[in-house]
Amino acid sequence: MSKADLDKLVAQYPAAIVSSHSNFGDDTAVVTKESLKDVMRFLRDTVGFDLLVSVTAADYFGREPRFEVVYHLRSMATGNRLRIKVPVHEEEGGPSAEVATVSDLWPTANWQEREAYDMFGIKFSGHPDLRRILMYEEFVGHPLRKDYPKEQRQPLIRRDYSLS
Amino acid sequence: MAESYTTRLDDALSWARKYSLFTYPFVTACCGMEYMATAASKYDIARFGAEFPRFSPRQADLLFVVGTITERQAPVLHRIWMQMAEPKYVIAFGVCASTGGFYQNYNTVPGCDQVIPVDVYIPGCPPRPEQVLDGLILLQKKIQDATTWVQRRDRKELELQAQSTDGRKRLPVVA
């Protein structure tokens, strides 16, 4: 039930908000990539969203922009929730999309952004230690991208024990 | 005479081994609950002489692979198996350990037999303790019949050794 918070955000950064909706207490703002950092800092310091619940991403393969980075915020004081989405293009000629890190605002973003990087190949610029967190170093590609073949394994070890 | 004496000694050794299995539970997933139920007093794996989980592979001779093995864990599982003293046996506990189960995806090993040799597969998601005990009894039967992987490999090595002419003592069948 944080329509008021969403309104505050839209009033403060009218140019940064691509779209927003508020249905049944589910409040979402789609924010441009460039203004993400300002918006997040405003939400944390002024509106009071002191808890970053999750950072994740979605791959809308075939659509432009292809990726969406999703942040869920919560205020421990009021209990309000807010969802922020950032559309990210797949970079031209480059392997991955890029968006600014928020790990300096909420330390919990450190590992969650590493997970989003590992699974979707989204680069978080300014991240202190952007390495894979779930898959092993030898793994090539990003498994939750829609163009990754779902059963393509990259084994570290295989042995044959047939006695013949 | 000597030959039959050796055979009977092997039988006696197998009999002793099958009733004193020291298990190493490599528990990675929810099957661990059923492993605990099997080990606890109601189903009481101790009735079959396998009551003592040793959490060191060097003191165990039965490796229970309990749960899903991911590609990232596979080298660890292989190393655990390598560290166990011979003769050693492996039971794949549940469908994930046996075949990967319903995880047909990029991160799950399709059965731990891709990494280590498995003697008994116990199906079920997770298997009931009765099934586990059934699998354990099957393993005991295999040990007595000398048909576990380690025993078959040893026989194979002896055969090759008998055939060899260059005097090498042991020939590795599996690298």
Side-chain angles (χ1 to χ4, degrees):
Chain A
M1 302 298 158
S2 46
K3 181 76 167 64
D5 294 330
L6 183 63
D7 291 342
K8 251 187 253 178
L9 175 65
V10 176
Q12 180 75 18
Y13 293 99
I17 311 296
V18 180
S19 65
S20 68
H21 66 253
S22 183
N23 299 326
F24 308 107
D26 175 42
D27 305 287
T28 304
V30 182
V31 177
T32 62
K33 196 169 85 169
E34 292 71 26
S35 51
L36 172 73
K37 209 54 182 283
D38 293 336
V39 165
M40 292 307 239
R41 188 171 280 118
F42 170 76
L43 287 171
R44 187 189 69 158
D45 296 339
T46 311
V47 188
F49 285 105
D50 46 1
L51 178 69
L52 179 64
V53 178
S54 78
V55 180
T56 186
D59 180 2
Y60 297 95
F61 188 57
R63 198 187 83 177
E64 272 304 321
R66 177 174 169 183
F67 296 103
E68 217 166 47
V69 184
V70 187
Y71 303 83
H72 289 101
L73 300 174
R74 188 174 167 92
S75 164
M76 295 303 282
T78 64
N80 290 348
R81 302 163 197 265
L82 185 64
R83 181 185 301 121
I84 303 291
K85 292 184 183 181
V86 184
V88 187
H89 285 274
E90 195 173 8
E91 305 258 315
E92 284 291 321
S96 67
E98 194 163 351
V99 69
T101 181
V102 294
S103 57
D104 47 346
L105 298 177
W106 293 277
T108 187
N110 187 318
W111 281 20
Q112 303 204 30
E113 288 179 347
R114 279 177 63 186
E115 187 183 347
Y117 162 72
D118 193 358
M119 295 290 123
F120 293 94
I122 289 166
K123 288 232 171 83
F124 291 88
S125 53
H127 191 284
D129 182 27
L130 196 62
R131 284 179 296 132
R132 287 188 184 279
I133 190 167
L134 295 173
M135 304 309 293
Y136 31 97
E137 292 286 312
E138 294 86 348
F139 197 85
V140 179
H142 301 282
L144 290 194
R145 286 192 171 196
K146 295 290 183 203
D147 51 359
Y148 186 90
K150 73 176 162 57
E151 286 190 27
Q152 182 178 308
R153 297 185 175 87
Q154 300 183 28
L156 288 173
I157 181 173
R158 285 289 187 271
R159 292 286 189 276
D160 183 11
Y161 293 98
S162 49
L163 299 170
S164 55
Chain B
M1 182 62 201
E3 213 162 75
S4 90
Y5 177 75
T6 322
T7 321
R8 301 317 296 167
L9 182 64
D10 276 354
D11 279 353
L13 274 177
S14 295
W15 174 85
R17 280 174 179 150
K18 76 175 181 180
Y19 288 127
S20 64
L21 292 166
F22 279 39
T23 59
Y24 179 92
F26 191 87
V27 179
T28 59
C30 38
C31 278
M33 295 295 151
E34 298 300 314
Y35 172 78
M36 291 172 217
T38 314
S41 51
K42 184 163 180 180
Y43 292 97
D44 198 10
I45 204 170
R47 291 178 293 157
F48 304 89
E51 76 269 38
F52 215 1
R54 307 302 307 202
F55 295 104
S56 161
R58 302 202 188 273
Q59 299 172 355
D61 56 5
L62 170 58
L63 176 59
F64 261 114
V65 184
V66 185
T68 324
I69 302 299
T70 61
E71 293 289 358
R72 196 172 171 169
Q73 278 169 336
V76 179
L77 177 65
H78 183 252
R79 173 170 287 196
I80 293 283
W81 178 77
M82 295 284 278
Q83 284 175 339
M84 288 170 62
E86 301 226 359
K88 52 193 173 187
Y89 320 103
V90 179
I91 288 184
F93 189 120
V95 282
C96 290
S98 301
T99 66
F102 43 73
Y103 298 109
Q104 299 298 320
N105 59 16
Y106 62 92
N107 60 9
T108 304
V109 178
C112 68
D113 53 2
Q114 306 271 325
V115 183
I116 54 175
V118 176
D119 293 309
V120 174
Y121 299 84
I122 303 173
C125 183
R128 284 195 56 84
E130 292 91 331
Q131 274 171 283
V132 180
L133 295 176
D134 200 22
L136 188 75
I137 293 167
L138 183 59
L139 178 72
Q140 290 178 331
K141 189 173 180 308
K142 286 187 84 166
I143 294 172
Q144 186 68 74
D145 298 347
T147 54
T148 63
W149 183 85
V150 164
Q151 288 161 317
R152 283 187 292 130
R153 183 210 55 192
D154 286 352
R155 265 205 307 282
K156 186 81 185 171
E157 279 181 354
L158 284 173
E159 276 171 32
L160 291 175
Q161 189 184 323
Q163 289 163 13
S164 79
T165 48
D166 59 359
R168 277 185 69 186
K169 272 200 161 178
R170 280 176 89 82
L171 297 172
V173 179
V174 176

